Amino acid sequence: MDSYQMRKFEFRLEEIYNKTEWLQYELPLNEFIARFPVEFKNDVPQRPHWPEDFDLDRETRLAIMVAFRESFS
């Protein structure tokens, strides 16, 4: 696990959070980041799972996927 990549992903999630106004009303930043833990399988990061108890719009989901790929590729 590369801590630089993890920090980069968290930073990108923070950027998404700050750009998405409705997220700021729904939950605090640390809870938003905590909803997307990165799991590793054979030292390869797995795509984050979508929270079942929190609905995200299409744009936000795509931004999170782009952030993941840019951080871990």
Short mmCIF file of all heavy atoms in Angstrom, two decimals, residues 22-23 26-28 31-37 49-57 61:
data_model
loop_
_atom_site.label_atom_id
_atom_site.label_comp_id
_atom_site.label_asym_id
_atom_site.label_seq_id
_atom_site.Cartn_x
_atom_site.Cartn_y
_atom_site.Cartn_z
N TRP A 22 -24.27 20.41 -2.22
CA TRP A 22 -25.27 19.64 -1.46
C TRP A 22 -24.62 18.64 -0.52
O TRP A 22 -25.18 18.31 0.53
CB TRP A 22 -26.28 18.97 -2.39
CG TRP A 22 -25.72 17.87 -3.24
CD1 TRP A 22 -25.23 17.99 -4.50
CD2 TRP A 22 -25.62 16.49 -2.90
NE1 TRP A 22 -24.81 16.76 -4.96
CE2 TRP A 22 -25.05 15.83 -4.00
CE3 TRP A 22 -25.95 15.75 -1.77
CZ2 TRP A 22 -24.80 14.46 -4.01
CZ3 TRP A 22 -25.70 14.38 -1.78
CH2 TRP A 22 -25.14 13.75 -2.89
N LEU A 23 -23.43 18.13 -0.87
CA LEU A 23 -22.73 17.20 0.02
C LEU A 23 -22.37 17.87 1.34
O LEU A 23 -22.44 17.25 2.39
CB LEU A 23 -21.45 16.70 -0.64
CG LEU A 23 -21.57 15.53 -1.59
CD1 LEU A 23 -20.23 15.24 -2.26
CD2 LEU A 23 -22.09 14.31 -0.89
N GLU A 26 -25.16 17.66 3.67
CA GLU A 26 -25.58 16.32 4.07
C GLU A 26 -24.70 15.70 5.15
O GLU A 26 -25.20 15.02 6.03
CB GLU A 26 -25.61 15.40 2.85
CG GLU A 26 -26.66 15.75 1.83
CD GLU A 26 -28.06 15.43 2.31
OE1 GLU A 26 -28.24 14.43 3.02
OE2 GLU A 26 -28.97 16.21 1.99
N LEU A 27 -23.37 15.88 5.04
CA LEU A 27 -22.47 15.25 5.99
C LEU A 27 -21.13 15.97 6.02
O LEU A 27 -20.77 16.66 5.06
CB LEU A 27 -22.28 13.78 5.66
CG LEU A 27 -21.59 13.36 4.39
CD1 LEU A 27 -21.18 11.91 4.53
CD2 LEU A 27 -22.52 13.43 3.21
N PRO A 28 -20.38 15.81 7.11
CA PRO A 28 -19.07 16.46 7.21
C PRO A 28 -18.05 15.78 6.30
O PRO A 28 -18.22 14.64 5.87
CB PRO A 28 -18.68 16.28 8.68
CG PRO A 28 -19.75 15.52 9.33
CD PRO A 28 -20.80 15.18 8.34
N GLU A 31 -16.63 12.26 7.24
CA GLU A 31 -17.58 11.16 7.01
C GLU A 31 -17.67 10.83 5.52
O GLU A 31 -17.82 9.67 5.16
CB GLU A 31 -18.96 11.51 7.55
CG GLU A 31 -19.05 11.44 9.05
CD GLU A 31 -20.47 11.70 9.54
OE1 GLU A 31 -21.43 11.37 8.81
OE2 GLU A 31 -20.60 12.22 10.65
N PHE A 32 -17.61 11.85 4.67
CA PHE A 32 -17.64 11.62 3.23
C PHE A 32 -16.43 10.78 2.80
O PHE A 32 -16.57 9.79 2.09
CB PHE A 32 -17.67 12.94 2.47
CG PHE A 32 -17.59 12.80 0.98
CD1 PHE A 32 -18.65 12.26 0.27
CD2 PHE A 32 -16.46 13.20 0.29
CE1 PHE A 32 -18.59 12.12 -1.11
CE2 PHE A 32 -16.38 13.07 -1.08
CZ PHE A 32 -17.45 12.52 -1.78
N ILE A 33 -15.26 11.16 3.26
CA ILE A 33 -14.05 10.41 2.91
C ILE A 33 -14.10 9.00 3.47
O ILE A 33 -13.71 8.03 2.80
CB ILE A 33 -12.79 11.16 3.39
CG1 ILE A 33 -12.63 12.45 2.58
CG2 ILE A 33 -11.54 10.30 3.28
CD1 ILE A 33 -11.52 13.36 3.06
N ALA A 34 -14.62 8.85 4.67
CA ALA A 34 -14.70 7.53 5.31
C ALA A 34 -15.64 6.57 4.58
O ALA A 34 -15.53 5.36 4.71
CB ALA A 34 -15.13 7.67 6.76
N ARG A 35 -16.55 7.09 3.79
CA ARG A 35 -17.49 6.23 3.04
C ARG A 35 -16.84 5.54 1.85
O ARG A 35 -17.44 4.68 1.24
CB ARG A 35 -18.69 7.05 2.57
CG ARG A 35 -19.58 7.47 3.71
CD ARG A 35 -20.76 8.25 3.21
NE ARG A 35 -21.56 8.71 4.32
CZ ARG A 35 -22.65 8.07 4.76
NH1 ARG A 35 -23.04 6.98 4.18
NH2 ARG A 35 -23.33 8.56 5.78
N PHE A 36 -15.60 5.92 1.53
CA PHE A 36 -14.91 5.33 0.38
C PHE A 36 -13.55 4.76 0.78
O PHE A 36 -12.51 5.19 0.30
CB PHE A 36 -14.75 6.37 -0.73
CG PHE A 36 -16.05 6.93 -1.18
CD1 PHE A 36 -16.50 8.16 -0.72
CD2 PHE A 36 -16.87 6.21 -2.04
CE1 PHE A 36 -17.71 8.67 -1.12
CE2 PHE A 36 -18.09 6.71 -2.44
CZ PHE A 36 -18.52 7.94 -1.98
N PRO A 37 -13.57 3.75 1.65
CA PRO A 37 -12.28 3.14 2.02
C PRO A 37 -11.72 2.34 0.84
O PRO A 37 -12.47 1.76 0.06
CB PRO A 37 -12.66 2.22 3.18
CG PRO A 37 -14.08 1.86 2.92
CD PRO A 37 -14.70 3.09 2.28
N HIS A 49 -16.54 0.77 -3.05
CA HIS A 49 -17.95 0.38 -3.11
C HIS A 49 -18.79 1.62 -2.85
O HIS A 49 -18.42 2.50 -2.08
CB HIS A 49 -18.26 -0.69 -2.06
CG HIS A 49 -17.45 -1.93 -2.25
ND1 HIS A 49 -17.72 -2.84 -3.24
CD2 HIS A 49 -16.38 -2.40 -1.58
CE1 HIS A 49 -16.86 -3.83 -3.17
NE2 HIS A 49 -16.02 -3.58 -2.16
N TRP A 50 -19.95 1.66 -3.47
CA TRP A 50 -20.86 2.79 -3.24
C TRP A 50 -21.61 2.58 -1.95
O TRP A 50 -22.12 1.49 -1.70
CB TRP A 50 -21.83 2.94 -4.41
CG TRP A 50 -21.13 3.11 -5.70
CD1 TRP A 50 -21.17 2.28 -6.77
CD2 TRP A 50 -20.23 4.16 -6.06
NE1 TRP A 50 -20.36 2.75 -7.78
CE2 TRP A 50 -19.77 3.91 -7.37
CE3 TRP A 50 -19.77 5.29 -5.41
CZ2 TRP A 50 -18.88 4.75 -8.03
CZ3 TRP A 50 -18.88 6.13 -6.07
CH2 TRP A 50 -18.45 5.86 -7.36
N PRO A 51 -21.70 3.61 -1.13
CA PRO A 51 -22.44 3.48 0.13
C PRO A 51 -23.92 3.18 -0.14
O PRO A 51 -24.55 3.84 -0.96
CB PRO A 51 -22.29 4.85 0.80
CG PRO A 51 -21.36 5.64 -0.04
CD PRO A 51 -21.13 4.93 -1.32
N GLU A 52 -24.43 2.17 0.53
CA GLU A 52 -25.83 1.79 0.33
C GLU A 52 -26.79 2.75 1.00
O GLU A 52 -27.92 2.91 0.56
CB GLU A 52 -26.05 0.37 0.85
CG GLU A 52 -25.29 -0.67 0.07
CD GLU A 52 -25.48 -2.06 0.63
OE1 GLU A 52 -26.36 -2.25 1.50
OE2 GLU A 52 -24.74 -2.95 0.21
N ASP A 53 -26.34 3.38 2.07
CA ASP A 53 -27.23 4.25 2.83
C ASP A 53 -27.14 5.72 2.41
O ASP A 53 -27.74 6.58 3.04
CB ASP A 53 -26.91 4.13 4.32
CG ASP A 53 -25.49 4.54 4.65
OD1 ASP A 53 -24.64 4.56 3.74
OD2 ASP A 53 -25.23 4.86 5.82
N PHE A 54 -26.41 5.99 1.33
CA PHE A 54 -26.24 7.36 0.88
C PHE A 54 -26.26 7.39 -0.63
O PHE A 54 -25.44 6.74 -1.28
CB PHE A 54 -24.91 7.92 1.42
CG PHE A 54 -24.77 9.39 1.27
CD1 PHE A 54 -25.48 10.25 2.08
CD2 PHE A 54 -23.95 9.94 0.30
CE1 PHE A 54 -25.36 11.62 1.95
CE2 PHE A 54 -23.82 11.29 0.16
CZ PHE A 54 -24.53 12.14 0.98
N ASP A 55 -27.19 8.13 -1.20
CA ASP A 55 -27.35 8.17 -2.65
C ASP A 55 -26.53 9.30 -3.26
O ASP A 55 -26.61 10.44 -2.81
CB ASP A 55 -28.83 8.34 -3.00
CG ASP A 55 -29.11 8.04 -4.45
OD1 ASP A 55 -28.34 7.29 -5.06
OD2 ASP A 55 -30.10 8.57 -4.97
N LEU A 56 -25.74 8.97 -4.27
CA LEU A 56 -24.92 9.95 -4.96
C LEU A 56 -25.44 10.14 -6.38
O LEU A 56 -25.89 9.18 -7.00
CB LEU A 56 -23.46 9.49 -5.02
CG LEU A 56 -22.74 9.37 -3.70
CD1 LEU A 56 -21.41 8.67 -3.89
CD2 LEU A 56 -22.53 10.75 -3.10
N ASP A 57 -25.32 11.35 -6.87
CA ASP A 57 -25.73 11.59 -8.26
C ASP A 57 -24.65 11.08 -9.22
O ASP A 57 -23.54 10.73 -8.81
CB ASP A 57 -26.03 13.07 -8.48
CG ASP A 57 -24.84 13.97 -8.24
OD1 ASP A 57 -23.79 13.48 -7.79
OD2 ASP A 57 -24.95 15.17 -8.52
N ARG A 61 -20.51 10.38 -8.67
CA ARG A 61 -19.97 9.02 -8.81
C ARG A 61 -18.84 8.99 -9.84
O ARG A 61 -17.80 8.38 -9.61
CB ARG A 61 -21.05 8.04 -9.23
CG ARG A 61 -21.98 7.65 -8.13
CD ARG A 61 -23.04 6.68 -8.65
NE ARG A 61 -23.94 6.31 -7.61
CZ ARG A 61 -24.10 5.06 -7.18
NH1 ARG A 61 -23.46 4.09 -7.75
NH2 ARG A 61 -24.95 4.81 -6.21
#
